[in-house]
Amino acid sequence: MRLRRTIGRKPAKARPSKTAKPKRSNVSNAARRTSSSVAELQDQVSALTRELAEGREQQTATSEVLQVISSSPGDLQPVFATMLEKAVRICDAKFGALYIHEQGKFRLVAEHDVPEFFKVRGSDPFEPAPGGLLDVTMRTKRTVHEADLAATRSFADSRPRMVEATELAKVRTIVAVPMLREDDLVGVFGVFRREVFPFSDKQIALLQNFAAQAVIAIENARLLKELRQRTDDLTESLEQQTATAEVLQVISSSPGDLEPVFAKMLENAVHICDASFGSIYRWEADAFQLVARHNPPPAYAESPKPSDYHPDERTPLGRLFKTKQAIHVTDLSVDPSYVEQPAPEIAAVVEVAGVRTVLAVPMMRESELIGAFILFRQEVRPFTDKQIELVQNFAAQAVIAIENARLLTELHHRTDELGRSVGELRALGEVSQAVNSTLELETVLSTIVAKAAQLSSTEAGAIYVFDDLQREFHLRATYGMEQEMIDALTQRHIGLDDPNATLALGRHEPIQIADLKEQAPSAVNEIILRAGYRALLVAPLLRGEEIVGLLVVRRRTPGAFPQNTVDLIQTFAAQSALAIQNARLFHEIEDKSRQLEEASEHKSQFLANMSHELRTPLNAILGYTELMADGAYGEPSEKMQDVLKRLEANGRHLLGLINDVLDLSKIEAGQLVLELSDYSVQDIAQAVRSALEPLAVDKKLAFKVEVPARLPPGHGDGRRLMQVLINLVGNAIKFTDAGEVVIKAEVNNGAFYVSVRDTGPGISAADQAKLFQEFQQADNAITKKKGGTGLGLAISKRIIEMHGGRIWVQSQPGQGSTFAFTLPITVERQVGTE
């Protein structure tokens, strides 16, 4: 960006009395001291302004990331992309990348401005280079910050590909933040700089915050994916149940209860097939289990029988088990299985039940045997093909009933799980909404602890916040606790030596106590036991290695907590830590904002009041310099004349800079008031041309004014508009070494349109973005050579906006620049500036 400075108004010469002799040394010293004070104050204000801007930018970035997480549930790509873009921009890095860790390998899932050479791996998992960035982060699970990668031994010892990639990308400073879920490495968040420029602690803290948010987003996506998967399974099961119910009327009348289904099927099969009696067996635990029987002979029914039947090839069930086919025996009394060496089961069937004809049909689920239908006749009468087919249909229906019952059981189980998952997601959504919608810490923590207790099926919960100064945990939010217990815990000084806190913080994960009565006594546990609680779950609130607090849920009945409850509390703990950290950052920003506002007010008031004190001595210096140059104190030598000219030029340059600072201070202090009157755009343009044409002539530049003769008169502050035009034209001449500078004015849509076009070096898009900001200068050789304060364009922007107008720039490197502004022809009143 080209640095532009304002061409200050030329003050009237203050000629001192010829009888008065100035004290030059005292005046010069006063001017230097005043200039030094102004510079120091401006540096302080600039530092505070940057700090506030960084804080606000970080808060905005965090809010935007949380908004993307809320608006893109389950879709991690926009979340990662937004995080990287914000991290790279706010941390002033060159590029960034996000890697997911999977079983010792990494996979690139998101990148921002990554050089082409770094993209060759694509989305395939890769092993980290030994001693490299990802390898160190994976092994230590801590943030890795290399101020100068080229000077790091681990870099030199890395694999050649890592060295080659880093050198081609010209990476020098890097920081990698681990993404941890409990103590498991989920991924790595990395940003890179091409210059040796270490990242600040605040920037690293911001990256750690983004990493924690990425873990939350991944965890939420995982839960959402499980929910969707369970929903798909449920839908499929329901479709199967619906289709089965349309075909099998008897099954639909007794869903999930197989006993009446089997009884009705067997009754119908025996009746329709004209059998004497029948049985249904299930194949379970390597044996046939009797599950239904219809109309057995009394003597057979009363005879003792084993509870299960193991396959025996001498029996119809044994042959069915071997062949998985229907077995039809016309006369069991003459069948070799009975005649040669009958099994006990066959002897009982023939001799006690009087069975002669048997039909055994397998119940198959695909190729798996799950049971069998058996029908018996007490006379020799084979079953017909239609009867065999009917029994096979009944067997198929029985399989459907069994499968349906199994699916229904799974459905109930999954429905319960789905209900829990929906409740958990809803609670997490409410917590996220509380975190995003309010910065009231008590409100957020109360929401978190209430949901944690409800979803963990516990009666009470609490959140403690750690005080770094006192090194104690302070009770901040409660749920379900009686006031007596709250008072007792509030008065108790709970430090890092508390057994429960020590154990949870030491493990970096939730710890549970199944029964407090079996634990070593402690002051806090005694309070909890007196209140009637027996089991508790304690989760540490951590931000990296920083202790934030504790999340505790308590239950009146002893016993261990299920793992899904432990995982849920861990998720709530992460939300709590994030909420507490956000609140702390917000209060810090509020405090710094208040300090900045006070400093800004003092600065503006000071500079506004210093107008006379700054200008008077400088005008005296310039006056005496002109008198000396004119020979009022004797004809100066040629060498002295050159010195006096340089002195006067530098003095007027300093006066212009002081005028810029004072104008900006007046605007900020609300003391700059437009003097509204009629003016002529033609006269302003010609006056600017007359004043600055000598500068263009000295540089051999063409200076043109293209203003129509019949422009309507304007109403506004003509003197301030001339100041704006002088600044734009002065900058154009200063930065243009060859070609021309053109002033153009016209009326467009009821407003004046004024532009200044030059054939200078042009301005990059990045520099254009900060061109109209106070104290901003493009960091290039041209700007440094030309000099300036960086206030001229900022003041011009304020003046145009006070007229209700707009100013902008259009430029490309190597193609010159056009600065233009529009403003109403008639300004009735000054527009307020904030």
Side-chain angles (χ1 to χ4, degrees):
M1 178 180 68
R2 300 178 307 174
L3 177 63
R4 306 186 180 278
R5 68 174 178 84
T6 302
I7 303 299
R9 299 183 302 279
K10 183 176 182 181
K13 296 180 180 179
R15 297 182 179 273
S17 170
K18 292 184 178 181
T19 59
K21 188 172 183 180
K23 298 179 180 180
R24 290 180 295 171
S25 60
N26 292 337
V27 173
S28 299
N29 290 335
R32 284 194 296 271
R33 286 196 299 271
T34 302
S35 300
S36 175
S37 298
V38 171
E40 291 175 358
L41 187 55
Q42 292 296 336
D43 290 340
Q44 294 174 6
V45 172
S46 298
L48 288 172
T49 301
R50 286 192 301 272
E51 188 172 0
L52 175 61
E54 290 173 358
R56 286 178 175 170
E57 190 174 26
Q58 291 180 6
Q59 182 183 12
T60 301
T62 301
S63 177
E64 291 176 358
V65 169
L66 290 174
Q67 184 177 3
V68 172
I69 293 175
S70 300
S71 62
S72 304
D75 188 2
L76 294 176
Q77 202 59 41
V79 175
F80 293 157
T82 301
M83 284 183 178
L84 277 179
E85 189 271 332
K86 301 299 180 186
V88 170
R89 177 172 57 81
I90 295 177
C91 294
D92 198 20
K94 188 63 180 177
F95 61 91
L98 194 151
Y99 302 88
I100 293 298
H101 177 252
E102 298 170 341
Q103 298 179 348
K105 294 185 178 182
F106 288 91
R107 180 166 53 87
L108 179 65
V109 296
E111 55 86 12
H112 182 76
D113 287 342
V114 169
E116 240 358 87
F117 190 83
F118 268 38
K119 298 181 180 179
V120 295
R121 293 192 178 98
S123 59
D124 296 332
F126 60 92
E127 294 182 355
L133 174 67
L134 295 178
D135 179 56
V136 174
T137 308
M138 179 179 66
R139 287 186 289 102
T140 64
K141 297 181 182 178
R142 294 185 178 181
T143 298
V144 177
H145 183 200
E146 297 290 354
D148 186 358
L149 192 61
T152 304
R153 179 175 180 83
S154 61
F155 169 78
D157 295 339
S158 298
R159 293 186 301 187
R161 179 170 181 75
M162 175 65 181
V163 177
E164 180 184 9
T166 307
E167 290 179 347
L168 286 176
K170 295 182 174 59
V171 174
R172 297 298 297 276
T173 299
I174 61 175
V175 62
V177 178
M179 295 158 49
L180 298 174
R181 181 174 62 240
E182 297 179 3
D183 198 36
D184 294 333
L185 182 66
V186 177
V188 174
F189 202 106
V191 294
F192 306 79
R193 285 175 173 163
R194 287 183 170 173
E195 69 276 17
V196 179
F197 183 24
F199 291 88
S200 68
D201 292 342
K202 287 187 177 181
Q203 290 172 336
I204 293 175
L206 175 66
L207 294 175
Q208 291 170 340
N209 186 24
F210 279 145
Q213 292 176 353
V215 173
I216 293 174
I218 293 171
E219 186 67 10
N220 288 347
R222 181 186 66 80
L223 291 174
L224 187 60
K225 183 179 179 181
E226 290 182 1
L227 173 62
R228 288 173 175 169
Q229 182 62 46
R230 292 171 182 172
T231 302
D232 292 342
D233 293 342
L234 174 62
T235 301
E236 182 180 356
S237 299
L238 289 173
E239 290 175 351
Q240 293 176 358
Q241 183 183 14
T242 301
T244 302
E246 292 176 352
V247 178
L248 305 173
Q249 192 174 27
V250 66
I251 297 176
S252 64
S253 63
S254 303
D257 187 1
L258 292 176
E259 185 176 348
V261 174
F262 289 154
K264 191 64 177 178
M265 283 183 175
L266 190 57
E267 178 186 356
N268 291 336
V270 170
H271 174 71
I272 295 174
C273 294
D274 197 19
S276 301
F277 64 97
S279 301
I280 295 179
Y281 293 88
R282 291 283 305 275
W283 175 256
E284 294 176 345
D286 298 328
F288 285 103
Q289 309 289 335
L290 181 66
V291 294
R293 178 179 287 178
H294 178 72
N295 200 33
Y300 179 72
E302 294 172 358
S303 62
K305 299 176 183 63
S307 59
D308 50 20
Y309 295 89
H310 294 281
D312 187 335
E313 292 187 10
R314 295 175 295 173
T315 67
L317 278 179
R319 298 181 210 172
L320 178 145
F321 173 79
K322 181 178 181 180
T323 63
K324 306 295 190 298
Q325 300 290 330
I327 303 299
H328 187 199
V329 180
T330 302
D331 188 353
L332 193 59
S333 64
V334 297
D335 189 79
S337 63
Y338 173 71
V339 174
E340 295 177 0
Q341 187 178 357
E345 297 87 347
I346 296 299
V349 168
V350 174
E351 297 171 4
V352 178
V355 171
R356 303 298 294 274
T357 301
V358 178
L359 174 64
V361 175
M363 295 157 51
M364 303 292 297
R365 183 173 58 225
E366 297 179 353
S367 59
E368 178 187 0
L369 178 68
I370 64 173
F373 256 81
I374 300 183
L375 297 183
F376 305 93
R377 281 179 175 162
Q378 292 175 317
E379 71 276 5
V380 177
R381 183 161 51 93
F383 291 90
T384 65
D385 291 342
K386 286 186 178 182
Q387 289 173 335
I388 294 174
E389 183 179 355
L390 177 62
V391 176
Q392 290 173 334
N393 287 337
F394 278 128
Q397 291 178 357
V399 172
I400 293 175
I402 294 172
E403 182 68 8
N404 195 45
R406 182 184 67 82
L407 292 175
L408 189 59
T409 301
E410 290 184 4
L411 174 62
H412 290 156
H413 178 67
R414 291 178 180 177
T415 300
D416 292 340
E417 289 185 348
L418 179 62
R420 288 194 298 269
S421 297
V422 170
E424 292 173 5
L425 288 175
R426 183 180 294 112
L428 289 174
E430 292 176 4
V431 169
S432 296
Q433 183 178 4
V435 172
N436 296 334
S437 62
T438 179
L439 290 170
E440 290 293 334
L441 186 58
E442 282 71 16
T443 300
V444 176
L445 296 185
S446 296
T447 302
I448 292 174
V449 71
K451 297 301 178 183
Q454 292 167 7
L455 290 178
S456 62
S457 299
T458 54
E459 291 86 3
I463 291 180
Y464 296 84
V465 176
F466 185 68
D467 189 322
D468 285 327
L469 296 178
Q470 299 180 5
R471 308 300 290 174
E472 292 180 351
F473 294 95
H474 294 164
L475 188 62
R476 197 64 179 269
T478 64
Y479 174 81
M481 293 168 53
E482 296 181 356
Q483 189 61 44
E484 181 180 355
M485 181 180 180
I486 294 175
D487 294 339
L489 290 174
T490 302
Q491 296 170 6
R492 193 75 203 170
H493 296 284
I494 303 175
L496 294 173
D497 56 348
D498 179 78
N500 299 336
T502 301
L503 188 58
L505 294 171
R507 294 183 180 179
H508 283 60
E509 63 182 15
I511 61 102
Q512 58 174 304
I513 299 176
D515 193 345
L516 281 170
K517 288 187 175 181
E518 298 178 359
Q519 297 296 309
S522 71
V524 174
N525 286 348
E526 287 298 325
I527 295 174
I528 298 172
L529 280 170
R530 283 200 305 270
Y533 298 99
R534 296 285 297 276
L536 60 82
L537 184 61
V538 182
L541 309 184
L542 301 170
R543 302 295 295 168
E545 294 300 320
E546 178 186 357
I547 301 173
V548 178
L550 297 170
L551 170 61
V552 184
V553 292
R554 305 183 184 94
R555 194 176 59 204
R556 295 187 182 277
T557 56
F561 292 86
Q563 186 59 43
N564 63 332
T565 299
V566 177
D567 296 339
L568 178 66
I569 294 302
Q570 177 68 6
T571 300
F572 278 112
Q575 292 277 17
S576 302
L578 177 61
I580 294 171
Q581 184 70 9
N582 286 348
R584 287 178 177 174
L585 290 174
F586 176 74
H587 290 310
E588 289 179 7
I589 292 172
E590 272 190 332
D591 184 57
K592 293 187 182 299
S593 299
R594 186 167 50 255
Q595 296 176 15
L596 180 60
E597 289 176 359
E598 292 175 358
S600 180
E601 290 177 2
H602 292 318
K603 179 267 300 182
S604 298
Q605 190 63 41
F606 170 76
L607 291 179
N609 293 335
M610 286 294 292
S611 176
H612 178 73
E613 287 76 3
L614 289 173
R615 287 188 173 120
T616 299
L618 189 56
N619 283 331
I621 294 172
L622 293 174
Y624 282 116
T625 302
E626 288 186 359
L627 288 175
M628 294 174 65
D630 293 341
Y633 303 101
E635 193 66 29
S637 63
E638 182 176 349
K639 184 176 181 181
M640 179 63 71
Q641 190 73 29
D642 291 339
V643 172
L644 291 174
K645 286 182 180 180
R646 288 196 296 272
L647 178 61
E648 181 180 7
N650 289 329
R652 296 198 180 283
H653 176 68
L654 178 59
L655 183 60
L657 300 181
I658 292 174
N659 286 335
D660 285 349
V661 174
L662 291 174
D663 282 345
L664 183 62
S665 299
K666 285 183 177 180
I667 292 173
E668 292 179 345
Q671 297 179 358
L672 184 64
V673 179
L674 297 181
E675 299 176 1
L676 302 178
S677 61
D678 293 339
Y679 64 87
S680 169
V681 174
Q682 296 96 323
D683 293 345
I684 291 176
Q686 292 301 330
V688 172
R689 179 177 185 176
S690 298
L692 300 181
E693 190 168 26
L695 298 178
V697 172
D698 288 344
K699 298 186 71 173
K700 297 181 182 180
L701 299 175
F703 190 3
K704 301 178 183 178
V705 176
E706 299 177 358
V707 180
R710 295 185 178 181
L711 284 180
H715 186 77
D717 193 331
R719 184 172 64 87
R720 291 293 181 181
L721 294 177
M722 182 180 293
Q723 178 183 348
V724 172
L725 194 57
I726 286 175
N727 177 66
L728 297 180
V729 174
N731 283 342
I733 293 174
K734 179 170 61 176
F735 287 96
T736 303
D737 294 328
E740 64 180 9
V741 175
V742 180
I743 301 175
K744 183 178 180 181
E746 61 185 3
V747 173
N748 190 356
N749 294 327
F752 286 128
Y753 170 84
V754 182
S755 65
V756 176
R757 177 174 52 83
D758 63 57
T759 56
I763 308 170
S764 68
D767 288 337
Q768 291 179 35
K770 57 183 179 179
L771 198 59
F772 292 97
Q773 301 175 15
E774 295 91 343
F775 306 106
Q776 292 293 328
Q777 301 179 352
D779 186 14
N780 55 52
I782 297 176
T783 300
K784 292 179 180 179
K785 180 180 178 181
K786 304 297 182 181
T789 63
L791 292 177
L793 290 176
I795 294 173
S796 299
K797 180 176 182 290
R798 298 287 188 92
I799 292 174
I800 294 301
E801 289 176 347
M802 290 170 71
H803 280 79
R806 184 174 68 92
I807 189 170
W808 69 92
V809 62
Q810 294 177 332
S811 180
Q812 291 184 5
Q815 298 185 17
S817 305
T818 299
F819 284 80
F821 63 86
T822 61
L823 71 162
I825 295 176
T826 301
V827 178
E828 298 293 344
R829 61 184 179 85
Q830 176 177 322
V831 177
T833 58
E834 297 183 357

